[in-house]
Amino acid sequence: MVQGEQDIIESLHILFSTTLCERTMLPAYGCTLEHEVFETIGVELFSRIEDLLKRAILFFEPRILVIDIVVEEDESNSGQLNISLSYSIPQTNTRSNMVYPFYLLEGSNVRQIGSP
């Protein structure tokens, strides 16, 4: 069992990785981040992801206020986006941040059929 800031971080990870309708008793919980997996990496995708996360946080994580969300392609790992979230916790008057890795190409090292 965790509490405080660690509880918020774990709650955000759960929120970002839960698809809509995955929870039977709370079908609106989560976000549609998984719909973006096969999209082309670019500014449009980054903006859509930022909007999805801001809405999910607004409705399901009232303990924080979003300061900034930055989505960037990971230079060292092709097919991975790093989502940096900066937020404040009004109850404790603290600021914090977290990075959520989002994989667009999980099987990027798999050989193509017929290739050496």
Side-chain angles (χ1 to χ4, degrees):
M1 299 295 289
V2 296
Q3 55 186 344
E5 190 172 334
Q6 186 61 36
D7 183 37
I8 291 172
I9 291 170
E10 289 185 17
S11 175
L12 288 169
H13 276 277
I14 292 167
L15 178 61
F16 296 167
S17 61
T18 302
T19 60
L20 296 178
C21 298
E22 185 176 340
R23 292 194 171 185
T24 317
M25 300 301 286
L26 194 56
Y29 181 84
C31 63
T32 57
L33 200 53
E34 78 282 355
H35 291 271
E36 308 302 329
V37 169
F38 298 108
E39 296 299 321
T40 305
I41 296 175
V43 176
E44 184 179 324
L45 174 64
F46 297 166
S47 297
R48 259 195 329 266
I49 290 174
E50 287 175 33
D51 186 53
L52 287 172
L53 298 180
K54 283 180 183 177
R55 280 197 226 164
I57 292 168
L58 177 67
F59 290 113
F60 298 108
E61 190 46 79
R63 297 176 289 179
I64 67 170
L65 296 173
V66 174
I67 297 170
D68 194 23
I69 296 177
V70 177
V71 181
E72 298 175 316
E73 184 175 7
D74 190 327
E75 299 287 330
S76 63
N77 192 2
S78 177
Q80 177 179 326
L81 300 181
N82 290 323
I83 302 169
S84 301
L85 171 65
S86 298
Y87 59 91
S88 66
I89 306 170
Q91 185 177 12
T92 60
N93 199 27
T94 58
R95 290 180 63 161
S96 189
N97 57 36
M98 67 173 271
V99 175
Y100 181 80
F102 179 61
Y103 300 95
L104 294 171
L105 305 170
E106 287 197 49
S108 60
N109 291 331
V110 178
R111 286 185 12 208
Q112 297 291 326
I113 296 175
S115 65

